Amino acid sequence: MGKTLYDKLWDNHLVEQREDGTALIYIDRHLLHEVTSPQAFEGLRLAGRAPWRISANIAVPDHNVSTDRTERLAGVQALKDEVSRIQLTTLDDNCAAFDIPEIPLDDLRQGIVHVMGPEQGATLPGMTIVCGDSHTSTHGALGALAHGIGTSEVEHVLATQCLIGRKMKNFRIEVRGPLGLGVTAKDVALAIIGKIGTAGGTGFAIEFAGDAIRGLTMEGRMSLCNMAIEAGARSGLIAVDETTLEYVEGKPYSPKGDEWEAAKAFWSTLHSDDDAVFERELVLEAADIKPQVTWGTSPEMVVDIGGRVPLMSEMATDTARSGLKRALDYMGLEEGQRIEDIEPNVVFIGSCTNSRIEDIRAAAKVARGRKVAGGIKQALVVPGSGLVKQQAEAEGLDKILLEAGFEWREPGCSMCLAMNADKLSPGDRCASTSNRNFEGRQGFGGRTHLVSPAMAAAAAVTGRFVDVRTLEEMS
Amino acid sequence: MLAFTVHSGLVAPMDRANVDTDMIVPKQFLKSIKRTGFGPNLFDEMRYLDEGQPGVDCSGRPLNPDFPLNFERYQGASVLLARENFGCGSSREHAPWALVDYGFRCVIAPSFAEIFNGNSFKNGLLPIPLDSDIVDRLFAAMYETPGYALTIDLERQVVIEPNGEEISFEVDAFRRDCLLKGLDDIGITLQSADAIRQFESGYQKTYPWLFHRLEV
Ligand code: SF4
């Protein structure tokens, strides 16, 4: 019987299979950031343990960092938020004490950990990759087995280079046919979550397949795998192909020379066999997928741009009815309301889902020659890394965005989770390219609508949610 | 780690589906570099009427009178009864830390998000999955009965209702074992250190590019 991509990656890293069904899995790459690591380092210290293999680790600050240029230029020590500053300096101190490579805050390569990893070639096909962050699923786009872990597991990986796990089941989601113009990987991700729900992938590793997926750029594939966790799956995966190899070649930490040739030969085997068995399969037609907008407080509360907020009468159970009522109250919406009548007052383009160069290009394309609408009090564009920022500036995208009235910021997680100064105020309504629309996620009392970068830019320039495909540039 | 064998405690409700980790402990509290002290900020946005800030004493903050955990009858609760997909969202271990710090030892729900489930076991918090109709029944009994308490016997894998009836549940055998004994799983893994070393040396020969230090 053939193997799935996930089976291959799992088998290749299996150190020990135990009788109780658990297994010891070897970890190739461990990414660290300031929020989920301090207690793990503390644990190592208390137990008198040393990291097992330092070369497996790389750290970068991202969650707490200021995106304000002046504040950033002044360095970590000048950061106004004292609690954030302590967490950032704790990362620096721990990396120095344990000799772990860290990309510092003032480095051009600094960025959101899931943007930095692939960009540097620190995450590669065939690897097992973990990080104390659930969106580690992003790296599955390279044909790697990548998932988020908690702080105890951060400590476990540091100390043993392994994790104790159980094999997940295989779930293939195939998206057939080409995606329509103006429909992006983000829309595919949201459409899938709308279909299977936020627990739909629990217990599975999801492999995304089909010509629509093959046709995505690496940036698009990362956006899609990033959201696998919002469908409940710790890992999302995409087979290695030419697009993957082209992307990886020449990255700073990618293998070179003979090692490159050997790696390439191995990586080319990283796809599911034709006769592989998936415990679950789902097929979607790309032509059916339209730009998506979430209306509620869970990513599964999502509809097409032309759609409406659901009606109470459409809910099947009491829990569903009270869930809808609570979401509508929180979001300040009416049942049955048209999505195109919803008017955001804040726009956020960024996060590990959508802050790569292609995302900035998509936003700039819509913004070109237009102005941010009067009802929008803030429209933020936060590139995912210093390198994305540099590339965008080389292409003149920053000018287009600034001219239209967007703010152009320094890289970091920013308003995705509002641990820094970038946050919504109570009652604000945000068109956001991030991945979670949970209550309070972007700031206390803030309301989040998840969309693609093009849709967020379209909302910024029109002051409401519109089908980006109807804006001239797209036709 | 805190061991869990048999526990009896007052039951409190979290009567909604998809309770996410941002609800369990909002992000501003993730700036702490400690593992403890998150209890006063458990469910912060629902529990208080104002916006919580790290390092601020919560005893003077206005409580939300509509939030069940603030009701007199649920004070001292140590078993949380919840709905589908409890703990979805981020990988933050601060979520179980906050639940444990508040005093919870057990969460009963029809289903749990995976990362949260794993994180809970590592912190002495037992997540028990029960069929949703059983959960419905427990909710009803709890609402009807002031002082409603349950006993959980992890060794025998049963929840014992006040009338003595037992509901059995399934949890991962390895995790159950660690929790019963309060074992640190790093210690367990390090017992396999030779196997890891052996794997590693063979692996390094085949995939040498994975072993270069990333010079920053
Ligand atoms: S951008 Fe948002 S989702 Fe991504 S790592 Fe940062 S906080 Fe997490």
Side-chain angles (χ1 to χ4, degrees):
Chain A
M1 192 177 73
K3 286 181 177 184
T4 66
L5 170 56
Y6 170 68
D7 295 340
K8 291 181 186 180
L9 293 168
W10 174 270
D11 291 350
N12 208 31
H13 292 89
L14 187 63
V15 175
E16 213 171 71
Q17 176 67 55
R18 294 171 178 165
E19 273 175 25
D20 61 6
T22 61
L24 211 54
I25 290 294
Y26 190 77
I27 302 301
D28 296 324
R29 179 69 71 231
H30 184 204
L31 307 165
L32 297 113
H33 61 87
E34 77 276 22
V35 178
T36 53
S37 65
Q39 297 87 349
F41 283 114
E42 180 69 13
L44 284 189
R45 268 195 200 96
L46 289 174
R49 290 175 177 136
W52 180 281
R53 178 165 74 81
I54 286 169
S55 67
N57 301 285
I58 185 162
V60 66
D62 59 0
H63 283 64
N64 274 282
V65 305
S66 167
T67 61
D68 177 83
R69 184 157 175 76
T70 318
E71 205 177 349
R72 277 289 273 276
L73 286 175
V76 178
Q77 295 305 336
L79 197 70
K80 288 186 206 117
D81 183 332
E82 195 197 335
V83 198
S84 292
R85 195 176 65 233
I86 292 172
Q87 205 165 52
L88 289 164
T89 50
T90 303
L91 180 69
D92 294 345
D93 295 348
N94 282 327
C95 289
F98 289 93
D99 193 29
I100 285 176
E102 183 195 7
I103 295 178
L105 183 58
D106 59 3
D107 195 293
L108 184 63
R109 298 164 297 172
Q110 181 273 340
I112 304 172
V113 63
H114 309 307
V115 176
M116 178 281 289
E119 199 170 70
Q120 291 303 313
T123 56
L124 293 169
M127 278 182 169
T128 41
I129 301 163
V130 296
C131 172
D133 187 281
S134 60
H135 292 99
T136 309
S137 60
T138 309
H139 309 265
L142 287 93
L145 177 54
H147 62 75
I149 54 177
T151 296
S152 295
E153 287 177 313
V154 170
E155 188 181 336
H156 194 284
V157 172
L158 281 168
T160 70
Q161 212 50 54
C162 289
L163 276 181
I164 302 169
R166 243 171 222 283
K167 200 168 172 204
M168 294 182 274
K169 288 178 284 180
N170 287 286
F171 187 173
R172 178 164 57 191
I173 300 183
E174 187 183 343
V175 188
R176 284 195 187 142
L179 290 172
L181 211 61
V183 180
T184 68
K186 180 65 163 288
D187 301 303
V188 175
L190 288 170
I192 289 171
I193 296 164
K195 213 169 192 84
I196 68 174
T198 51
T202 305
F204 292 96
I206 299 182
E207 180 174 344
F208 299 101
D211 30 334
I213 309 300
R214 294 264 76 90
L216 291 174
T217 59
M218 284 313 291
E219 284 85 355
R221 294 178 188 188
M222 288 187 234
S223 302
L224 178 59
C225 288
N226 174 278
M227 301 276 296
I229 184 66
E230 307 316 327
R234 289 176 79 182
S235 296
L237 292 158
I238 295 177
V240 173
D241 62 6
E242 276 307 313
T243 307
T244 324
L245 298 177
E246 260 168 47
Y247 177 87
V248 173
E249 186 163 17
K251 292 279 184 282
Y253 298 129
S254 288
K256 309 277 180 314
D258 288 351
E259 285 190 357
W260 168 257
E261 292 306 323
K264 214 165 76 167
F266 166 56
W267 294 341
S268 302
T269 67
L270 297 176
H271 52 78
S272 292
D273 296 330
D274 290 341
D275 56 344
V277 177
F278 290 84
E279 280 90 349
R280 195 175 163 197
E281 294 200 61
L282 175 72
V283 178
L284 298 179
E285 296 298 331
D288 296 341
I289 302 175
K290 304 186 174 68
Q292 303 285 302
V293 183
T294 67
W295 53 265
T297 52
S298 162
E300 69 188 25
M301 295 172 162
V302 64
V303 285
D304 296 349
I305 174 66
R308 294 169 183 273
V309 173
L311 297 168
M312 267 327 201
S313 56
E314 292 162 354
M315 300 293 111
T317 63
D318 280 348
T319 309
R321 266 185 294 278
S322 64
L324 173 60
K325 181 163 184 325
R326 202 175 288 119
L328 294 180
D329 286 351
Y330 185 84
M331 294 297 291
L333 297 172
E334 301 292 328
E335 57 173 326
Q337 193 170 341
R338 272 166 35 103
I339 297 295
E340 290 188 301
D341 291 338
I342 299 174
E343 300 181 344
N345 67 336
V346 177
V347 173
F348 170 62
I349 296 171
S351 90
C352 58
T353 314
N354 285 127
S355 63
R356 298 179 181 81
I357 189 65
E358 157 178 311
D359 302 314
I360 314 285
R361 284 184 193 135
K365 187 175 174 198
V366 174
R368 184 191 294 273
R370 296 192 167 95
K371 289 279 177 229
V372 169
I376 306 285
K377 70 169 184 182
Q378 187 175 36
L380 275 182
V381 184
V382 186
S385 71
L387 287 165
V388 170
K389 181 166 182 267
Q390 187 185 47
Q391 172 70 24
E393 289 173 355
E395 295 178 19
L397 306 179
D398 58 325
K399 300 237 162 40
I400 296 171
L401 290 161
L402 284 164
E403 223 152 84
F406 288 85
E407 295 176 38
W408 181 243
R409 296 295 194 96
E410 297 300 307
C413 292
S414 181
M415 203 186 270
C416 172
L417 97 165
M419 275 188 82
N420 67 357
D422 310 334
K423 51 180 96 160
L424 298 180
S425 302
D428 277 350
R429 184 182 296 289
C430 181
S432 176
T433 67
S434 55
N435 42 54
R436 286 186 178 141
N437 49 357
F438 298 159
E439 290 180 19
R441 170 81 179 181
Q442 296 192 283
F444 182 72
R447 297 158 171 166
T448 302
H449 297 271
L450 303 175
V451 287
S452 73
M455 285 288 287
V461 298
T462 59
R464 61 186 179 90
F465 288 109
V466 287
D467 190 336
V468 66
R469 298 173 301 178
T470 62
L471 290 186
E472 292 164 340
E473 248 79 345
M474 303 304 298
S475 57
Chain B
M1 186 185 72
L2 207 57
F4 189 115
T5 48
V6 179
H7 175 82
S8 296
L10 186 69
V11 184
M14 178 45 71
D15 199 350
R16 58 195 287 178
N18 299 318
V19 169
D20 60 67
T21 51
D22 283 78
M23 279 181 212
I24 299 174
V25 57
K27 69 254 154 193
Q28 61 270 35
F29 306 106
L30 271 51
K31 293 182 187 187
S32 166
I33 56 171
K34 302 206 200 80
R35 267 175 206 267
T36 52
F38 295 99
N41 301 111
L42 175 70
F43 300 123
D44 198 275
E45 291 187 5
M46 292 183 258
R47 195 159 143 206
Y48 302 100
L49 293 171
D50 63 344
E51 183 181 357
Q53 290 305 335
V56 172
D57 178 17
C58 293
S59 58
R61 294 175 58 198
L63 293 172
N64 174 3
D66 299 326
F67 185 62
L69 283 192
N70 291 332
F71 297 177
E72 188 56 44
R73 61 177 288 196
Y74 298 124
Q75 298 314 299
S78 60
V79 177
L80 189 66
L81 195 55
R83 299 287 183 187
E84 286 81 10
N85 202 25
F86 186 87
C88 60
S90 80
S91 66
R92 63 186 72 159
E93 205 152 314
H94 312 69
W97 292 339
L99 285 158
V100 170
D101 198 60
Y102 179 92
F104 286 114
R105 294 303 316 276
C106 173
V107 183
I108 299 175
S111 57
F112 295 90
E114 269 175 273
I115 304 181
F116 174 83
N117 191 61
N119 285 343
S120 296
F121 276 98
K122 292 180 196 300
N123 290 282
L125 179 71
L126 174 64
I128 300 182
L130 293 178
D131 282 352
S132 58
D133 40 337
I134 298 179
V135 172
D136 280 346
R137 185 162 63 70
L138 294 178
F139 263 106
M142 176 198 59
Y143 285 132
E144 266 167 33
T145 326
Y148 186 79
L150 289 170
T151 297
I152 292 101
D153 184 336
L154 180 58
E155 177 81 57
R156 294 174 49 233
Q157 296 189 199
V158 287
V159 174
I160 307 164
E161 294 183 77
N163 62 8
E165 278 198 37
E166 298 192 345
I167 310 164
S168 55
F169 61 87
E170 292 289 331
V171 289
D172 183 282
F174 173 75
R175 287 174 168 160
R176 168 174 163 269
D177 233 42
C178 290
L179 193 50
L180 279 170
K181 299 183 189 134
L183 286 181
D184 155 22
D185 58 5
I186 295 179
I188 299 175
T189 299
L190 286 175
Q191 289 171 7
S192 301
D194 288 343
I196 302 172
R197 258 182 232 114
Q198 206 183 346
F199 174 91
E200 198 169 48
S201 70
Y203 189 76
Q204 180 165 8
K205 286 196 191 88
T206 322
Y207 312 106
W209 62 87
L210 297 176
F211 287 78
H212 304 311
R213 185 183 160 95
L214 307 179
E215 292 302 341
V216 169

